[in-house]
Amino acid sequence: MEAIRPVRRTLLRDRAYEAIRDAIVAGELAPGAVVRDAGLAELLGLSRAPVREAFSRLVDEGLLESKPQSYTRVTPLVAADVRDAAAVVGAMHELAARTAVPRLEAPHIEVMREANVRFADAVRAGDVDAALTADDELHDVLVRVSGNRAAAATVARYTPLIRRLERRRFGEGGNCRSAGLHDELIGACAERDVAAAVRVTAEIWGALEDLADVEP
């Protein structure tokens, strides 16, 4: 059966990484919670090896901390870490905007508009998962069109640190990023106005740096 091949180890590692990362960002694994490879492997239906590999990556990315022969646990929410991550991710989005805006076509703009409608609807409904998913889809258009793999990798690495705080603020009755700012960004993109797109992008991500100034 040529179509049936063993699942590559890297795919199992990635499955474990994504599942544990998402649980941390969603707060299902709370700050300070101790995690054990055996227990999570059982929950995920995997062996312990890919879970250990996922742990190593999550430690490197700042979502887990580990003391050899002692514990592995979810890192606390630290305002300075979130602020630093927002600054770096914001800079990557600004870089992406500079490159992508001249390359955008009508279908790209439409994807951004549709994502912003879903974002605004989700914010009104108090649906944080849908709001953050739509937000990611909107901004990912510029990252993808820019074609900058280093920027995309940096955004993917550090955005989860920011999402943890955004989710908490949303749950405390706060708001996600403004749909109005998204409208400004989309308008600048439609007009191929690179300077305006970069300015609005900086404003969006600067607001997240400000959010981190309030201790969780």
Side-chain angles (χ1 to χ4, degrees):
M1 297 184 181
E2 294 184 1
I4 300 178
R5 298 183 177 87
V7 176
R8 290 189 297 121
R9 181 184 183 85
T10 53
L11 294 181
L12 295 178
R13 176 199 64 201
D14 291 345
R15 272 182 54 200
Y17 163 79
E18 290 169 3
I20 299 166
R21 177 203 62 196
D22 291 349
I24 293 171
V25 172
E28 295 172 14
L29 292 172
V34 173
V35 294
R36 296 180 174 83
D37 55 11
L40 286 175
E42 183 177 358
L43 286 172
L44 294 170
L46 300 172
S47 69
R48 293 169 70 176
V51 173
R52 289 194 194 104
E53 292 177 36
F55 279 7
S56 179
R57 183 174 172 185
L58 290 161
V59 167
D60 187 50
E61 295 182 358
L63 292 173
L64 292 179
E65 56 187 7
S66 182
K67 183 177 180 181
Q69 309 303 319
S70 182
Y71 62 77
T72 300
R73 65 190 180 195
V74 179
T75 55
L77 272 169
V78 178
D81 292 344
V82 177
R83 187 165 51 249
D84 290 347
V88 170
V89 171
M92 293 302 98
H93 279 289
E94 290 178 46
L95 175 62
R98 287 190 184 93
T99 307
V101 169
R103 302 176 181 177
L104 290 172
E105 299 178 356
H108 297 129
I109 303 298
E110 185 58 28
V111 169
M112 294 175 74
R113 287 196 175 109
E114 290 175 357
N116 198 34
V117 169
R118 292 195 302 276
F119 173 83
D121 289 344
V123 170
R124 283 192 293 270
D127 187 341
V128 62
D129 289 318
L132 294 180
T133 295
D135 187 74
D136 283 339
E137 290 174 2
L138 189 156
H139 292 283
D140 187 56
V141 171
L142 295 176
V143 175
R144 284 189 294 102
V145 173
S146 77
N148 190 320
R149 293 184 180 180
T154 302
V155 168
R157 173 170 179 160
Y158 291 106
T159 296
L161 288 171
I162 304 165
R163 290 306 193 214
R164 292 175 74 194
L165 182 60
E166 281 190 285
R167 291 185 65 93
R168 173 170 290 194
R169 291 292 180 238
F170 194 100
E172 292 170 351
N175 213 338
C176 284
R177 276 174 265 179
S178 167
L181 282 176
H182 286 163
D183 280 334
E184 288 185 41
L185 175 60
I186 294 165
C189 290
E191 294 295 325
R192 305 293 190 273
D193 188 337
V194 175
V198 171
R199 175 185 56 76
V200 178
T201 298
E203 186 174 352
I204 289 169
W205 291 93
L208 286 178
E209 290 185 62
D210 294 341
L211 182 68
D213 287 330
V214 181
E215 291 288 343

